[in-house]
Structure formats: structure tokens, C-alpha cells
Amino acid sequence: MFNYLRKRFTSHIRERSRRRARLVSKDGRCNIEFGNVEQSRFVFLIDIWTTILDLRWRYKMTIFISAFLGSWFLFGLLWYVVAYIHKDLPEFNPSINHTPCVENINGLTSAFLFSLETQVTIGYGFRCVTEQCATAIFLLIFQSILGVIINSFMCGAILAKISRSKNRAKTITFSKNAVISKRGGKLCLLIRVANLRKSLLIGSHIYGKLLKTTITPEGETIILDQVYIEFVVDAGNENLFFISPLTIYHIIDKNSPFFHMAAETILQQDFELVVFLDGTVEATSATCQVRTSYIPEEVLWGYRFAPIVSKTKEGKYRVDFQNFSKTVAVETPHCAFCLYNEKEAKAKEKKGYDNPGFVLSEVSETSDTKM
């Protein structure tokens, strides 16, 4: 029991360390932080719109509530100051003929309520500005304009946050593992991707980046060196008809960084395959990008994906997502180099080679013998 718990704990720690070293998580989030940035944080306030959109919902709602409550209370204080300066408050014992700047403001609470009614245009009719005070008229105009600006900005930020194409990307899913097997007589790395909505992504384009640490001939160590990985489907990698799950594949040829890897050595490799899917949302015409990544432990050599699409008796096409990430073991060469050598050997067996320098000479036999 103790050995079992120790193995589980060791595997959990190893998996956590792997997860920390991962640049892109399975759901597309980037694991990176910036340190010693020389620019001031004031630059983020200049682009306040993007800063607000990037905030999490709890911070956004805190700013939303604080902006309205703060403006209501601030203008409530200003209305109270106007009433105090004009001596409209009951403690000044105004005469019967006294015309206040704002009727029925008796203290700070009533000033706050009037500020709230003015900014959100409730208009109960009990408190109102009179024409005798120019200061109150100016303050009313200023609060109305500022209230419209705050309302437009905050409501627009909430709407933009809800309708961001980043949320559409959550309905695009990739298979849990990538597989390596033969496809069309070639060794390929295959990944399955599916659109969980019936609406399409227009102009979809899929590609990959292999991230690894490389050492240049000059001795420079480059961490997170990026190598372009081309993924295609049978119809190409541009303008995908993304109505049903697709199996995209990368051909492992002599130009592929996977060419020198083998089934026995792939787990010892240190790389991260990041896959990108770019497209335009059909409903909003906004562009979105979906990302995921695969580490060596998530690349299965000698497997293919199980069938997922079938046709019913009614003539409809049915997608069974229970088999979406299910894999089946198949016979696969243990390395791409061996597959190409095997093809070359078979090609040479089918061909004959003539030696132009070869001359057949006949030797005549003589029957003369001497005794």
C-alpha cells in the first residue's frame, strides 16, 4: 500500500512539473510571465478599453458597480454643497418665499437620491431643479453628460466581454492525444478537431508550431525555438469545410522535425507541439483563434483514431463524440527513416539495371588432344 501511494505521489509530482513547463495548456492558455518590464503601468491605462476587456469578470463587475456608486455619491456631495451654499437646507430656516436650487433636498441622503434619479433618468418628480440657480443647471447638465458616458462605456464593455470571439473558441475542441500512423502510404502525425456548433468558421486555417530548445552552430541556446509544422486535410489546410470533425495530419518526411524520432525515443524528446486554428465566426464576422498543445507523452506512436461519423437509416449523418479521442492500435513502422528505406528497397527490387560495359564472349571448345 505504501509503495502504491508513493508511486502515485511521484507520478503526480512529475505530471505537475510537466504542466508547469508547458507553454500552452490544453485549453489554450499561455503559461508565461513578464519580469523587469521597464515601461510604466500607465501605458495600460492609456489603452483602458483593452485593459477592461482583459479583466476577469469579478474585477470587471467590481469596477462596474464602483463606477456607478462612486459617481452617484460624488454628485450627491456636489448637490449637497450647492444646497448648503444656497442655504436651502432646513438648518438655515429658509423663509417661505425662498426658492431653493433643488426642491426637497433636506440633507445628504436626499442629495444622493436626487443624484441617482438624475443620472439614471428615473424622474420621480418629487425633487427637481428650479430655474433660479445657474449653478444647479450647470451641474445637472454636467452630470447628465458624464452619466451617459459612464453608462455607454461600462455597458459596452460588458457587451463586448460577453460577445468576444474568445468564447466561440471554447466550442472548438481538439483530441486529447495526437497519434502517429500510416496514412496514404506515408507516416503522418494526426490530430482530430471538432466544431461543437452547427454554425461554421469561415476561412479556417490550421497550422502548428513545434517548440523546443535548440543550440545554434555559434553555441547560442535558444529556448522555445519555433519550427513551423504544416497540417493538412485531404482538401488542403485553407478554407476548411468545418461542419463535422476533421482529422488533420502532418506528413513526416525528410523536412519534418519528427523525421529523426522513433517510437522508442519519442518519450525522451523535449518538445511541445502547439496547434492553431484561425477562422472567422459566421454569426459575428469576428476572427478567433483556438489553441492547444501536445507534449511527448500525449503523442501515441502506432495508433489511429476510431471512426466517429456514421449514417443513419433516415439518411442523416451522426457524429458520436464518445469515440472522439478514442484510439486503435495499428501496425506502424517504428521510425520514418525505416519506412522510406523499405520503400526504396522495394522500388529497387522491381527495377532491373543493365551494365553497358558488359560484353558476352563465347569460348570455343577444341577437341584436339595430344597423346
Side-chain angles (χ1 to χ4, degrees), residues 176-340:
K176 182 180 179 182
N177 297 301
V179 297
I180 295 179
S181 60
K182 291 176 65 176
R183 186 184 182 95
K186 300 178 181 178
L187 191 64
C188 300
L189 184 143
L190 302 97
I191 296 173
R192 179 171 276 174
V193 58
N195 180 14
L196 301 182
R197 289 185 179 272
K198 292 185 178 180
S199 60
L200 300 178
L201 283 180
I202 304 172
S204 300
H205 172 64
I206 194 161
Y207 58 97
K209 297 285 186 179
L210 188 70
L211 308 179
K212 60 180 181 178
T213 301
T214 59
I215 300 177
T216 63
E218 295 77 18
E220 179 186 2
T221 301
I222 303 177
I223 300 177
L224 298 180
D225 187 23
Q226 300 183 14
V227 180
Y228 179 79
I229 302 294
E230 183 179 7
F231 281 97
V232 296
V233 293
D234 293 334
N237 63 345
E238 298 282 352
N239 300 323
L240 305 178
F241 185 48
F242 204 8
I243 192 64
S244 63
L246 298 175
T247 300
I248 61 174
Y249 59 91
H250 164 69
I251 301 175
I252 303 178
D253 54 12
K254 295 182 180 180
N255 297 322
S256 172
F258 295 95
F259 183 76
H260 298 286
M261 299 183 188
E264 298 82 4
T265 61
I266 190 171
L267 293 179
Q268 283 75 43
Q269 302 293 327
D270 184 17
F271 67 85
E272 180 177 354
L273 176 61
V274 184
V275 183
F276 302 87
L277 174 63
D278 299 336
T280 303
V281 182
E282 186 179 25
T284 61
S285 298
T287 57
C288 71
Q289 183 182 87
V290 193
R291 299 181 296 268
T292 191
S293 69
Y294 298 92
I295 55 178
E297 287 80 0
E298 296 170 345
V299 179
L300 306 180
W301 196 294
Y303 289 84
R304 65 173 175 82
F305 291 110
I308 191 175
V309 181
S310 60
K311 194 172 184 179
T312 62
K313 295 180 180 180
E314 294 79 10
K316 293 184 178 181
Y317 293 93
R318 183 176 184 271
V319 179
D320 186 8
F321 280 94
Q322 185 177 1
N323 295 335
F324 180 71
S325 295
K326 187 177 180 180
T327 56
V328 180
V330 292
E331 184 179 353
T332 306
H334 75 283
C335 66
F337 189 75
C338 299
L339 176 63
Y340 282 93

